[in-house]
């Protein structure tokens, strides 16, 4: 926004920015759901687990941390009743030491670096422990729900179905949640022609049933007879300038000419014997 902008310019530019962000979000969702990235690290099991769970952007950060985990070495290991404490050190950096703990009961990890608590992503020290323990997939405690590919699918909750709020707010919330499911259905239903036709028929049928149930419009009945009729003739419109255009020719009768001077039926003005034009001129 600039100083010379009015309220109309501000709203227009703001809406343009929102549409741009939505388009970018749709593109990122498409890249996350389709295709699999090429594995680049020395730990393909962990990297593949991150690719299956994380979105594409979060997975790139996870892969960079997994690459740097080879620089971390384990200096000490203290086993307790319910946990194991590891002391890690950066390669050839004795002053950079961090403590990593592993709880047996909850299968959770914590690190004094506290990257998991700050950004919601495991740090290089925790990833080094996973490699040391020969774990092939990420534990559920290290994968937050908001970084998953299916994070937008889990939109059902009491706030959406709350009947005590305003009707418009509840309607918009339901529509947003339903559209997310429709997008996921459209991505997989349009891959094959048979699936596309069957899903489209079901959606049309359910739409017509809900229209009749809620009294919105009139449901269109598609029958075999109606499908065979095809495109019919348009509705006839009365011709401009005359009132007899829609009458059949059998009812109109024969139109006969009249002389414009003497109003004699069957004659014309130039050929009427009673007129002055029919008499010869004297020279």
């Amino acid at each position: 926004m600039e100083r010379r902008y009015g309220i109309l310019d501000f709203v227009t530019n703001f809406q343009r920015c929102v549409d741009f962000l939505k388009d970018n979000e749709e593109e990122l969702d498409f890249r996350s759901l389709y295709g699999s990235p090429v594995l680049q690290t020395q730990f393909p099991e962990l990297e593949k687990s991150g690719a299956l769970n994380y979105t594409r952007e979060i997975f790139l950060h996870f892969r960079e941390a997994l690459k740097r985990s080879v620089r971390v070495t384990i200096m000490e290991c203290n086993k307790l009743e319910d946990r194991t404490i590891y002391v890690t050190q950066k390669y050839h950096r004795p002053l950079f030491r961090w403590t990593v703990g592993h709880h047996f009961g909850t299968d959770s990890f914590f690190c004094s670096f506290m990257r998991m608590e700050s950004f919601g992503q495991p740090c290089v020290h925790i990833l080094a422990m996973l490699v040391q323990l020969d774990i092939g997939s990420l534990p559920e405690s290290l994968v937050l729900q908001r970084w998953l590919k299916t994070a937008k699918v889990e939109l059902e909750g009491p706030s959406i179905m709350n009947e005590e709020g305003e009707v418009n707010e509840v309607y918009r919330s339901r529509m947003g949640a339903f559209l997310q499911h429709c997008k996921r259905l459209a991505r997989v239903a349009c891959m094959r022609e048979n699936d596309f036709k069957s899903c489209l028929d079901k959606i049309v049928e359910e739409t017509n049933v809900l229209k009749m149930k809620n009294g919105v419009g009139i449901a269109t009945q598609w029958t075999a007879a109606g499908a065979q009729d095809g495109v019919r003739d348009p509705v006839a419109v009365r011709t401009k300038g005359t009132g007899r255009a829609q009458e059949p020719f059998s009812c109109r009768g024969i139109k006969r000419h009249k002389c414009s001077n003497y109003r004699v039926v069957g004659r014309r003005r130039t050929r009427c014997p009673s007129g002055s034009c029919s008499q010869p001129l004297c020279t």
Side-chain angles (χ1 to χ4, degrees), residues 170-214:
V170 176
Y171 178 77
R172 284 195 292 266
S173 300
R174 290 174 178 173
M175 182 176 292
F178 192 79
L179 287 177
Q180 294 298 330
H181 290 278
C182 291
K183 289 179 181 179
R184 297 181 62 247
L185 175 62
R187 292 190 183 102
V188 296
C190 297
M191 292 182 178
R192 297 181 180 180
E193 186 176 0
N194 296 332
D195 298 338
F196 169 74
K197 291 182 179 180
S198 61
C199 292
L200 185 61
D201 294 338
K202 293 179 181 179
I203 291 175
V204 172
E205 183 179 358
E206 290 295 331
T207 303
N208 295 332
V209 172
L210 292 176
K211 280 185 177 181
M212 297 180 62
K213 180 179 179 180
N214 298 322

Side-chain angles (χ1 to χ4, degrees), residues 14-196:
F14 180 80
Q15 187 63 37
R16 187 184 299 112
C17 294
V18 171
D19 295 339
F20 178 76
L21 294 176
K22 289 182 178 179
D23 293 339
N24 288 345
E25 185 177 358
E26 292 291 337
E27 183 178 358
L28 293 176
D29 291 342
F30 177 80
R31 292 183 179 180
S32 298
L33 293 175
Y34 293 95
S36 56
V38 180
L39 304 181
Q40 300 179 1
T41 64
Q42 301 177 1
F43 316 107
E45 291 79 9
L46 279 177
E47 186 178 1
K48 186 177 181 180
S49 176
L52 294 176
N53 292 284
Y54 290 127
T55 60
R56 183 63 57 88
E57 185 175 357
I58 299 300
F59 169 72
L60 296 179
H61 295 284
F62 169 77
R63 184 167 62 183
E64 292 298 325
L66 189 60
K67 289 180 179 179
R68 296 195 304 268
S69 64
V70 296
R71 305 176 185 176
V72 178
T73 57
I74 301 175
M75 305 303 297
E76 300 179 9
C77 178
N78 301 321
K79 294 184 179 181
L80 303 178
E81 295 182 358
D82 58 343
R83 70 186 68 180
T84 302
I85 306 298
Y86 300 91
V87 178
T88 61
Q89 175 184 321
K90 191 175 181 181
Y91 174 73
H92 204 63
R93 295 291 189 274
L95 298 180
F96 294 91
R97 290 195 174 188
W98 309 97
T99 303
V100 180
H102 177 211
H103 292 269
F104 302 129
T106 58
D107 195 19
S108 59
F109 294 82
F110 68 91
C111 180
S112 58
F113 190 69
M114 300 188 69
R115 179 178 175 83
M116 189 67 191
E117 289 77 6
S118 301
F119 300 97
Q121 302 175 16
C123 59
V124 294
H125 316 99
I126 295 179
L127 295 178
M129 292 299 99
L130 296 179
V131 174
Q132 181 66 25
L133 298 175
D134 197 18
I135 298 177
S137 60
L138 290 173
E140 295 182 358
S141 60
L142 298 179
V143 182
L144 298 185
Q145 182 66 29
R146 64 175 180 265
W147 303 135
L148 294 178
K149 294 181 179 180
T150 58
K152 292 185 178 181
V153 179
E154 303 297 334
L155 294 176
E156 300 179 356
S159 60
I160 296 177
M161 304 302 295
N162 187 12
E163 298 292 344
E164 298 179 358
E166 297 184 1
V167 177
N168 295 333
E169 297 294 336
V170 176
Y171 178 77
R172 284 195 292 266
S173 300
R174 290 174 178 173
M175 182 176 292
F178 192 79
L179 287 177
Q180 294 298 330
H181 290 278
C182 291
K183 289 179 181 179
R184 297 181 62 247
L185 175 62
R187 292 190 183 102
V188 296
C190 297
M191 292 182 178
R192 297 181 180 180
E193 186 176 0
N194 296 332
D195 298 338
F196 169 74

